[in-house]
C-alpha cells in the first residue's frame, strides 16, 4: 500500500482541507534572517528564543524523517457587525472554537488512522512548537509566501490554520512548491495601519496590531491610536488581499461564530468577572491572554473613539484594582479630552499608591501636554 496516498485519502475523510509532506532537513537558509531579527529586537516574547530549535526539526524530535503538514481553512463570512453598543473586533481566527483544539483533534484522528496500518513515533504541534510552521508549510507545498508573510494556498487563500506532525515515517517527498503570485500587487503593505509590513516579505511583528493586542508589554502611545477597536488580532493585511476573494469557502462548523462572537460588547468586557469571562470566552483562541488584556484593549478602543460620551465609563475604571487598567484608562481619557483628563486624573493621582502607575500617569500627562501644545 502506498502510505503517502493512504494518508492523503484519510485526511480527506477527516475533513482536513490541505495536506503536504516535507523532509526534516534544517532550515539553514532562515538562520541569518532569524539572527538579524533577534539583534534588531524584532522577535516577540511568544517565539522560541533558541534559533537552532526553530530551524532544526531534529532538535525537537531526533528520529524525525518526515513532517506531515496540514491546513484548515477559516475564511468564514458569517459575522455581521451589531448595530447597537460599543463593539470590539475579534480576528477571524478567534470567531469559533479554539483552533488549537480543532486542529489537534484532526491530527489525532489522522495519527490513529496511520497507526491502523503502521506503527510509528511522532510529535504534533499547532502553533506552540518551536519550528517555523509557515516555512514547513511552504516546503510541504501547502502555499507560497505572500508579501504580507502569510502562507497563501491557491484554493483556500491565506486564512488557513497550520498544524504539523514530526514523524519517523519514511515517506517519499516530492512536494510541488507553489509559485508566488503577488506580482505587482502591494495592497497589504498599503493597508497595514502601523506599517508592520516594512517591505514585501519583511515583517516587524513588534508593531503588528495582532501582536499588540496580545502582548503584556506596555504599548507605545503612538501605536495605541492605530489599534482602533481591535480586541484580539487584526486581519487587515489578509482582508485586503485579492487572493482571499473568490476562493473555496469551506465553513467548518467549529470556526463559525456563535452568539455574535465575531464582535464583542466592550462595555460587557469592561465589567465581566474572571469566571464569566472563562465561561463565555474561554473556548476561543483569542482569550488565551486572559480577561484583563481584553479589558485593556477595550479601554484603548474607547480612547480611540474620541467620543466624550465614553468618559463616564472610563472614569469609573480609574479606581480599578488592576494597575494596568488604571494606566490605560488614564491614556484613553487624555486621548479623548485632555482638559477633562487633567482634572479627573489629577484627583486620582493624589490617592494612587502604586509608584509605577503614578510615574506612568505623570509621563502620560507630559506626553499629552506636549501634544496639545503642538496642536
Ligand atoms: Fe500579495 Fe497583494 Fe495579497 Fe499582499 S495583498 S499578499 S501583495 S496578493
Amino acid at each position: 500500500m502506498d502510505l503517502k496516498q493512504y494518508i492523503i485519502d484519510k485526511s480527506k475523510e477527516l475533513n482536513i482541507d490541505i495536506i503536504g509532506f516535507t523532509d526534516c532537513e534544517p532550515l539553514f537558509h532562515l538562520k541569518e534572517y532569524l539572527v538579524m531579527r533577534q539583534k534588531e529586537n524584532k522577535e516577540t516574547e511568544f517565539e522560541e528564543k533558541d534559533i537552532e530549535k526553530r530551524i532544526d526539526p531534529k532538535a525537537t524530535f531526533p528520529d524525525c524523517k518526515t513532517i506531515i503538514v496540514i491546513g484548515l481553512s477559516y475564511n468564514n463570512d458569517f459575522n455581521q457587525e451589531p448595530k447597537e453598543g460599543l463593539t470590539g473586533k475579534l480576528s477571524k481566527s478567534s470567531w469559533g472554537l479554539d483552533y488549537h483544539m480543532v486542529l489537534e483533534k484532526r491530527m489525532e484522528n489522522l495519527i490513529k488512522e496511520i497507526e491502523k496500518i503502521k506503527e510509528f513515533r511522532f510529535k504534533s504541534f499547532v502553533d506552540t512548537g518551536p519550528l517555523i510552521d509557515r516555512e514547513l508549510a511552504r516546503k510541504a507545498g501547502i502555499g507560497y509566501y505572500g508579501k504580507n508573510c502569510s502562507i497563501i494556498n491557491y484554493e483556500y487563500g491565506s486564512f488557513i490554520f497550520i498544524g504539523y506532525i514530526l514523524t519517523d515515517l519514511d515517506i517519499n517527498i516530492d512536494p510541488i512548491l507553489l509559485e508566488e503570485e503577488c506580482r505587482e500587487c502591494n495592497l497589504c503593505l498599503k493597508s497595514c495601519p502601523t506599517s508592520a509590513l516594512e517591505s514585501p516579505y519583511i515583517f516587524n511583528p513588534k508593531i503588528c496590531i495582532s501582536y499588540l493586542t496580545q502582548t503584556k508589554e506596555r504599548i507605545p502611545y503612538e501605536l495605541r491610536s492605530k489599534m482602533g477597536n481591535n480586541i484580539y488580532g487584526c486581519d487587515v493585511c489578509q482582508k485586503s488581499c485579492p487572493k482571499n476573494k473568490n476562493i473555496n469557502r469551506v465553513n467548518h462548523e467549529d470556526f463559525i461564530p456563535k452568539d455574535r462572537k465575531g464582535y464583542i460588547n466592550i462595555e460587557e468586557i469592561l465589567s465581566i468577572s474572571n469566571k464569566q469571562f472563562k465561561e463565555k470566552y474561554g473556548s476561543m483562541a483569542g482569550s488565551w491572554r486572559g480577561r484583563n488584556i481584553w479589558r485593556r484593549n477595550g479601554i484603548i478602543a474607547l480612547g480611540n473613539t474620541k467620543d466624550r460620551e465614553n468618559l463616564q465609563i472610563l472614569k469609573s475604571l480609574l479606581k480599578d484594582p488592576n494597575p494596568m487598567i488604571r494606566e490605560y484608562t488614564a491614556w484613553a481619557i487624555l486621548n479623548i479630552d485632555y482638559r477633562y483628563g487633567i482634572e479627573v486624573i489629577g484627583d486620582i493621582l493624589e490617592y494612587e499608591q502604586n509608584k509605577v502607575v503614578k510615574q506612568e500617569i505623570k509621563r502620560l500627562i507630559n506626553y499629552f501636554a506636549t501634544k496639545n501644545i503642538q496642536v
Side-chain angles (χ1 to χ4, degrees), residues 146-148 152 182 185 187-188 241-243:
K147 289 182 185 172
N148 61 7
I152 304 178
C182 289
C185 175
L187 287 173
C188 51
C241 178
K243 305 299 175 196

Side-chain angles (χ1 to χ4, degrees), residues 258-276:
K258 309 273 178 349
D259 310 326
R260 298 198 323 185
K261 278 184 185 169
Y263 282 85
I264 55 127
N265 181 320
I266 293 177
E267 276 183 275
E268 181 215 3
I269 287 301
L270 292 178
S271 58
I272 202 167
S273 71
N274 246 333
K275 187 168 175 280
Q276 289 165 331

Side-chain angles (χ1 to χ4, degrees), residues 144-150 152 180-189 197 201 237-238 240-243:
Y144 62 90
Y145 280 113
K147 289 182 185 172
N148 61 7
C149 301
S150 295
I152 304 178
E180 194 257 278
E181 282 203 335
C182 289
R183 302 200 176 98
E184 299 308 311
C185 175
N186 277 308
L187 287 173
C188 51
L189 279 91
L197 294 166
Y201 315 104
C237 67
Q238 295 194 81
S240 68
C241 178
K243 305 299 175 196

Side-chain angles (χ1 to χ4, degrees), residues 89-204:
K89 278 193 256 174
L90 299 177
S91 152
K92 267 177 197 278
S93 63
S94 189
W95 278 6
L97 198 58
D98 186 340
Y99 66 90
H100 298 91
M101 296 192 310
V102 179
L103 265 80
E104 270 158 20
K105 189 73 200 157
R106 292 282 209 291
M107 291 199 291
E108 194 185 305
N109 289 338
L110 185 63
I111 288 162
K112 278 186 195 152
E113 290 298 334
I114 303 171
E115 281 173 332
K116 283 182 188 166
I117 62 159
K118 184 144 185 74
E119 251 183 45
F120 76 114
R121 286 179 302 124
F122 61 86
K123 269 193 174 177
S124 62
F125 299 93
V126 181
D127 227 16
T128 47
L131 290 156
I132 302 168
D133 54 2
R134 290 182 189 191
E135 182 59 11
L136 298 181
R138 186 197 65 82
K139 270 183 74 189
I142 301 286
Y144 62 90
Y145 280 113
K147 289 182 185 172
N148 61 7
C149 301
S150 295
I151 288 292
I152 304 178
N153 177 271
Y154 288 158
E155 200 180 340
Y156 297 98
S158 67
F159 285 103
I160 46 177
F161 293 126
I162 295 166
Y164 59 94
I165 315 170
L166 308 179
T167 78
D168 65 351
L169 291 168
D170 265 318
I171 292 179
N172 171 32
I173 310 284
D174 53 353
I176 304 157
L177 296 181
L178 302 193
E179 208 174 307
E180 194 257 278
E181 282 203 335
C182 289
R183 302 200 176 98
E184 299 308 311
C185 175
N186 277 308
L187 287 173
C188 51
L189 279 91
K190 288 182 194 149
S191 70
C192 178
T194 60
S195 302
L197 294 166
E198 295 176 333
S199 53
Y201 315 104
I202 302 291
F203 169 58
N204 179 357

Side-chain angles (χ1 to χ4, degrees), residues 88 90 213 215 219 227-232 264-277 281 286-287 289-303 313-329 331-332:
L90 299 177
T213 62
T215 185
I219 302 171
M227 288 170 70
N229 65 338
N230 289 296
I231 302 299
Y232 175 76
I264 55 127
N265 181 320
I266 293 177
E267 276 183 275
E268 181 215 3
I269 287 301
L270 292 178
S271 58
I272 202 167
S273 71
N274 246 333
K275 187 168 175 280
Q276 289 165 331
F277 182 78
Y281 300 108
S287 68
R289 297 295 263 176
R291 173 186 77 122
N292 278 323
I293 288 295
W294 276 32
R295 293 176 76 222
R296 175 200 68 185
N297 298 342
I299 290 164
I300 294 173
L302 290 191
I313 310 172
L314 287 166
K315 195 178 163 195
S316 63
L317 295 168
L318 282 171
K319 290 183 182 160
D320 194 88
N322 185 297
M324 174 182 70
I325 296 297
R326 299 201 294 281
E327 282 185 14
Y328 278 83
T329 301
W331 173 84

